[in-house]
């Protein structure tokens, strides 16, 4: 006995039902696996190296609640005898004398954490640096003019992949080894960044900047 073919409307409805069930199943699977998925997104941004003693620690500006503290800890552990930082561009509030320069804040933290002033080098830059890319260029110039064979780069944990990529590109051709050190945030980590506003903003911004750098500087 021949079956009557389903009408186009019924076939369309059946296809939509199947697609809906597949979509719902994927949503349920993603929800069930949300913790490892989100943790993986955070872990991908963290690319740090096993550290060996170096000539300098190069401290990137920004996130002074994490980065200078970690740099001071590495100094105290004897991983390098000097911390180098490029002076950042002054902001409008600083020009009005209302707040200190961001670089000066990091330097004060280093000193409060036990790093002697004579072990800190602030690299003056006309106008000040404004990005990781510019800091990488300043580091290249410093390495080219000094006897430096190994550099420890200190930055925020979620910034390590992008920073390491751009700094290694800047140092290409120089006989220097770059080691990336991840400064942990006091507010979030790869295992819980989605549970607070600060972590959500940090991861979102870092992925946007990562793609931007890849397309701009590839």
């Amino acid at each position: 006995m021949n079956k009557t073919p389903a009408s186009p409307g019924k076939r369309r409805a059946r296809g939509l039902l199947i697609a809906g069930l597949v979509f719902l199943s994927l949503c349920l699977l993603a929800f069930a696996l949300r913790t490892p998925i989100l943790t993986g997104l955070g872990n991908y941004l963290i690319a740090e190296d096993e550290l060996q003693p170096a000539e300098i620690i190069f401290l990137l500006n920004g996130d002074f609640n994490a980065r200078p503290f970690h740099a001071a800890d590495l100094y105290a552990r004897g991983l390098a005898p000097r911390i180098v930082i490029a002076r950042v561009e002054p902001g409008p509030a600083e020009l009005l004398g209302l707040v200190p320069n961001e670089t000066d804040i990091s330097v004060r933290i280093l000193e409060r954490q036990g790093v002697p002033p004579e072990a800190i080098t602030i690299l003056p830059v006309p106008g000040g640096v404004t990005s990781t890319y510019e800091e990488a260029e300043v580091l290249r110039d410093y390495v080219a003019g000094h006897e430096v064979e190994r550099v420890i780069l200190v930055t925020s944990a979620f910034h390590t992949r992008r920073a390491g990529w751009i700094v290694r590109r800047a140092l290409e051709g120089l006989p220097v080894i770059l080691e990336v050190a991840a400064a942990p945030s006091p507010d979030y980590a790869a295992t819980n960044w989605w549970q607070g506003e600060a972590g959500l903003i940090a991861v979102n911004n870092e992925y946007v900047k990562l793609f931007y750098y890849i397309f701009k500087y590839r």
Side-chain angles (χ1 to χ4, degrees):
M1 183 175 180
N2 296 329
K3 294 184 178 180
T4 304
S7 65
K10 288 184 178 180
R11 288 198 300 270
R12 189 179 302 110
R14 185 182 303 163
L16 290 174
L17 177 60
I18 293 173
L21 290 174
V22 171
F23 177 74
L24 179 60
S25 298
L26 291 175
C27 288
L28 291 174
L29 181 62
F31 180 78
L33 299 176
R34 64 191 183 281
T35 298
I37 291 174
L38 293 171
T39 300
L41 287 172
N43 278 329
Y44 177 76
L45 294 174
I46 303 173
E48 59 181 332
D49 300 305
E50 185 175 345
L51 302 181
Q52 301 293 329
E55 283 75 34
I56 65 168
I57 294 168
F58 190 72
L59 175 59
L60 292 181
N61 286 282
D63 196 5
F64 48 73
N65 288 313
R67 298 178 189 180
F69 288 94
H70 195 56
D73 178 63
L74 297 180
Y75 175 87
R77 288 161 52 187
L79 284 168
R82 177 160 301 279
I83 298 177
V84 179
I85 186 171
R87 180 164 292 281
V88 76
E89 178 187 44
E94 179 192 345
L95 295 175
L96 290 175
L98 300 176
V99 297
N101 183 276
E102 191 174 285
T103 300
D104 292 332
I105 296 176
S106 291
V107 169
R108 291 176 187 175
I109 292 172
L110 292 174
E111 294 174 351
R112 290 289 184 92
Q113 293 299 112
V115 181
E118 59 270 21
I120 303 171
T121 297
I122 303 175
L123 301 178
V125 180
V129 294
T130 62
S131 66
T132 303
Y133 179 84
E134 291 184 4
E135 288 179 286
E137 292 295 308
V138 172
L139 174 60
R140 179 184 174 85
D141 292 341
Y142 180 88
V143 169
H146 295 77
E147 295 183 1
V148 177
E149 297 180 356
R150 191 180 294 265
V151 175
I152 297 176
L153 180 74
V154 173
T155 190
S156 308
F158 286 163
H159 185 224
T160 48
R161 179 169 296 278
R162 177 167 60 94
W165 177 73
I166 201 67
V167 174
R168 284 191 173 96
R169 284 175 60 90
L171 296 177
E172 283 181 358
L174 295 179
V176 60
I177 297 172
L178 181 72
E179 303 172 359
V180 180
S185 169
D187 300 318
Y188 50 82
T191 54
N192 63 3
W193 60 266
W194 60 91
Q195 297 176 4
E197 182 178 353
L200 285 167
I201 293 173
V203 170
N204 175 77
N205 288 351
E206 194 54 45
Y207 270 106
V208 170
K209 291 178 180 179
L210 179 62
F211 290 128
Y212 171 77
Y213 267 61
I214 289 174
F215 283 108
K216 184 173 182 178
Y217 299 116
R218 70 183 184 276

